[in-house]
Amino acid sequence: MDNYIEENKKWWNEMTEINYNSELYDVDKFIKGEKGLLPIIKSEIKDYIKGKNILHLHCHFGMDSISLIREGAKSVTGVDFSSEAIKYANKLKEKLKLDNVDYIESDVLELDKVLNKKYDMVFATLGVITWIGDLNKWMKIASGFLKEGGILYLMDYHPFAATFAHGPGVDELKIEYNYFEKDKPYHFEGEVAYSNPNIKLKNASNEWQHSMSEIINSIVSNKMIIKKFKEYPFIDYHKFDFMVKTPDGNYWYSPNHDLPYMFSIIAKREEK
């Protein structure tokens, strides 16, 4: 497991600068306040974040951490295992002169060794589950940082969508990967950056597959009660060349076919 994580750290360290300078992330627009959380995320968390202290897991370089502050959170602690991500997160924080956002460089599965605090919400979105080898431990960590009655908000890419072949030249949906978890992650080498397909990556990555039943069971097995579960027939970026972009900026397989590409879960920490 450690070798997989170290390879992934190198991959994300390489990706961070590419993402920070990409049109997909559009940091300049974000700094001006013209870009933030996806509208569907805003609508789902609006009743839970005003004046709250939030733990943001897998925060990357902090755009969503800062967006949570802009949406009314009292404070946000962002966590990421990539040293480059934390460096750029602090750079962005300093540019915006914020003092209620802090960042911790840590593997989430080891976070309880360096952080001892309870939060009103644990927030994790879009590119989380596939990077976690031990999903049950991740949920145990997330639950452990919640106050009684606190909220876990998880939005991510649907595991069904992860079964399809992807990358340059893929012009149709074709099943290539397993839906259910296997002992080892999928290993990828020589891929292009998802935020800039003109850049070929030097580092390899390892991604785990977790079924929806595994995700749900790992939540309810760790003192959390699912309050809401939704699936969405679109995705927030151009994952496949053949996808159709709609006026709201989302991408669909086809306007006439609904397939699950994203999901969200709101779960509540059990109260005594």
Side-chain angles (χ1 to χ4, degrees), residues 47-67:
D47 296 331
Y48 302 104
I49 65 170
K50 301 291 184 182
K52 302 299 185 181
N53 298 308
I54 299 176
L55 178 63
H56 181 191
L57 303 180
H58 308 269
C59 69
H60 199 24
F61 58 82
M63 284 176 64
D64 281 0
S65 303
I66 293 168
S67 293

Side-chain angles (χ1 to χ4, degrees), residues 6-207:
E6 286 305 313
E7 279 192 321
N8 285 348
K9 281 184 184 180
K10 292 177 182 178
W11 190 90
W12 276 108
N13 280 340
E14 181 182 4
M15 277 298 307
T16 297
E17 184 175 5
I18 296 170
N19 287 348
Y20 192 88
N21 293 307
S22 70
E23 291 184 11
L24 178 66
Y25 283 82
D26 203 343
V27 171
D28 288 340
K29 192 173 181 179
F30 174 79
I31 289 172
K32 295 173 185 175
E34 299 171 359
K35 181 180 174 72
L37 297 174
L38 293 179
I40 51 173
I41 295 178
K42 284 185 185 182
S43 67
E44 291 185 346
I45 67 172
K46 61 183 174 62
D47 296 331
Y48 302 104
I49 65 170
K50 301 291 184 182
K52 302 299 185 181
N53 298 308
I54 299 176
L55 178 63
H56 181 191
L57 303 180
H58 308 269
C59 69
H60 199 24
F61 58 82
M63 284 176 64
D64 281 0
S65 303
I66 293 168
S67 293
L68 289 168
I69 294 295
R70 289 174 170 174
E71 295 299 322
K74 181 180 179 181
S75 73
V76 175
T77 301
V79 180
D80 202 283
F81 72 171
S82 163
S83 58
E84 285 296 296
I86 296 301
K87 182 181 80 174
Y88 276 89
N90 281 313
K91 177 181 176 181
L92 198 54
K93 168 188 169 179
E94 290 165 8
K95 278 190 176 182
L96 293 168
K97 297 180 171 59
L98 296 172
D99 59 6
N100 50 354
V101 182
D102 292 298
Y103 297 106
I104 298 172
E105 182 185 336
S106 174
D107 181 346
V108 169
L109 298 184
E110 304 293 329
L111 185 59
D112 55 343
K113 297 178 181 178
V114 296
L115 181 65
N116 182 21
K117 185 178 177 181
K118 298 291 185 182
Y119 292 85
D120 300 300
M121 173 185 275
V122 170
F123 177 92
T125 60
L126 302 176
V128 177
I129 297 298
T130 192
W131 302 102
I132 301 166
D134 189 339
L135 186 58
N136 187 69
K137 184 176 180 182
W138 189 95
M139 292 297 180
K140 183 178 181 180
I141 292 287
S143 178
F145 281 108
L146 283 173
K147 297 176 181 177
E148 289 185 13
I151 295 296
L152 168 69
Y153 180 75
L154 173 65
M155 172 173 274
D156 213 343
Y157 302 117
H158 203 291
F160 172 76
T163 64
F164 297 120
H166 62 277
V170 176
D171 57 4
E172 63 180 354
L173 286 183
K174 178 183 177 183
I175 299 290
E176 185 166 324
Y177 306 106
N178 290 308
Y179 176 77
F180 294 100
E181 181 187 19
K182 299 299 179 184
D183 293 335
K184 293 182 179 180
Y186 285 108
H187 184 77
F188 299 100
E189 293 185 10
E191 295 217 313
V192 298
Y194 67 85
S195 61
N196 187 341
N198 295 316
I199 299 177
K200 186 174 181 178
L201 298 171
K202 300 174 184 177
N203 289 290
S205 66
N206 305 281
E207 299 181 30

Side-chain angles (χ1 to χ4, degrees), residues 227-244:
K227 308 298 287 185
K228 191 176 291 186
F229 168 56
K230 288 186 176 182
E231 295 171 290
Y232 296 96
F234 53 79
I235 196 167
D236 64 319
Y237 73 102
H238 205 170
K239 182 177 177 67
F240 303 110
D241 289 345
F242 51 82
M243 296 189 89
V244 178

